[in-house]
Amino acid sequence: MKIFLDTANLESIRKYNAMGIVDGITTNPSLLAKEGGDPEAIMGEIVRTVRGPVSLEVINTEFEGMISEARRLSKFGKNVVVKVPLTSEGLRAVKQLSSEEIRTNVTLVFSANQALLAAKAGASYVSPFIGRLDDIGHVGMDVIRDTVQIFKNYGYKTEVLVASVRHPLHVVDAAKIGAHVVTMPPDVLAKMISHPLTNIGLDRFLADWEKTKEIPKAKLALSK
Ligand code: G3P
């Protein structure tokens, strides 16, 4: 399963990229606004920092505007994937962009039906927002399960990109279902790395190693 970071924070991107565990990046207008810098400059730097796909979202909501924005964003680099909202205009844009070989990530997906339509339009990725569904009392992971099944049934090449991930259990559940990609905020990735027993075990190993320095030289010579 591919791991994407859902952030526009370059420091986090560089940190986890260096560990070889990040396959790509997803951004959105909210994440870029959070960084407080020039969004165009940040997008350009992310695209140059990461080799894998980087999703950059269009702001235009009408077909013509989406297309010209998508063409402009795709010039940031070969690894750009244009994020388009699941609307009627968005689906039309996905069809056009796919004919121009511009990869798309259909965002703001909240049902398996919407995901199916995105795949039919030619999306490269479809992004169901599971955390926001959980927030309103729906089981977000059900949309992932249904979408993965539907894409398998009909052989769609569109990848299921699990978005709006809130905690490490979302990642395990998505991986068990067989989702292609999970995009997560850096804090969720940090939680996946860390385990209290790893820290306790490491402290104990280091403390025991210190004890070897107290073994008398005579005893060490005997044991040779
Ligand atoms: O990037 C889209 C999605 O992952 C947003 O997540 O936490 O704002 O619901 P969230």
Side-chain angles (χ1 to χ4, degrees):
M1 188 188 68
K2 283 173 265 188
I3 289 180
F4 288 5
L5 269 184
D6 196 26
T7 186
N9 183 273
L10 276 156
E11 200 185 320
S12 300
I13 291 170
R14 290 197 182 101
K15 174 178 166 183
Y16 292 108
N17 200 31
M19 296 180 200
I21 55 179
V22 174
D23 300 297
I25 304 292
T26 51
T27 66
N28 63 40
S30 308
L31 292 170
L32 282 156
K34 205 168 120 190
E35 292 310 308
D38 170 14
E40 299 280 319
I42 298 172
M43 289 191 283
E45 191 55 29
I46 296 173
V47 170
R48 285 188 291 276
T49 304
V50 176
R51 291 185 77 166
V54 176
S55 288
L56 305 177
E57 189 160 341
V58 295
I59 306 303
N60 281 274
T61 53
E62 280 162 24
F63 175 76
E64 299 293 349
M66 282 186 197
I67 296 300
S68 56
E69 197 179 353
R71 286 177 186 149
R72 187 179 63 77
L73 290 173
S74 69
K75 292 202 174 77
F76 274 112
K78 283 202 172 89
N79 51 342
V80 168
V81 174
V82 178
K83 225 170 164 184
V84 176
L86 191 297
T87 58
S88 304
E89 297 284 297
L91 287 172
R92 212 179 130 204
V94 168
K95 179 181 182 286
Q96 174 62 29
L97 294 171
S98 104
S99 76
E100 295 180 25
E101 294 189 356
I102 293 176
R103 288 183 295 165
T104 53
N105 172 1
V106 176
T107 188
L108 291 166
V109 167
F110 293 95
S111 73
N113 273 335
Q114 288 182 316
L116 172 60
L117 296 176
K120 284 188 78 74
S124 317
Y125 301 92
V126 62
S127 290
F129 278 25
I130 60 166
R132 293 193 196 183
L133 281 167
D134 289 353
D135 289 345
I136 59 158
H138 289 258
V139 182
M141 205 54 75
D142 285 351
V143 176
I144 302 302
R145 192 172 292 104
D146 290 347
T147 305
V148 167
Q149 180 69 58
I150 290 166
F151 287 7
K152 258 190 204 147
N153 288 350
Y154 296 101
Y156 284 113
K157 296 260 185 316
T158 306
E159 295 192 31
V160 179
L161 193 163
V162 183
S164 186
V165 162
R166 299 278 156 80
H167 50 72
L169 263 184
H170 273 154
V171 184
V172 174
D173 288 341
K176 280 157 73 179
I177 290 168
H180 305 85
V181 191
V182 173
T183 190
M184 64 194 75
D187 76 292
V188 173
L189 188 51
K191 286 176 190 160
M192 283 172 67
I193 293 171
S194 120
H195 196 289
L197 287 177
T198 305
N199 299 340
I200 292 167
L202 185 57
D203 287 348
R204 200 177 292 166
F205 282 149
L206 294 177
D208 287 343
W209 185 249
E210 281 303 305
K211 289 180 200 158
T212 65
K213 294 176 183 163
E214 291 153 21
I215 300 171
K217 286 217 166 62
K219 200 171 171 191
L220 282 177
L222 273 177
S223 60
K224 274 187 187 163

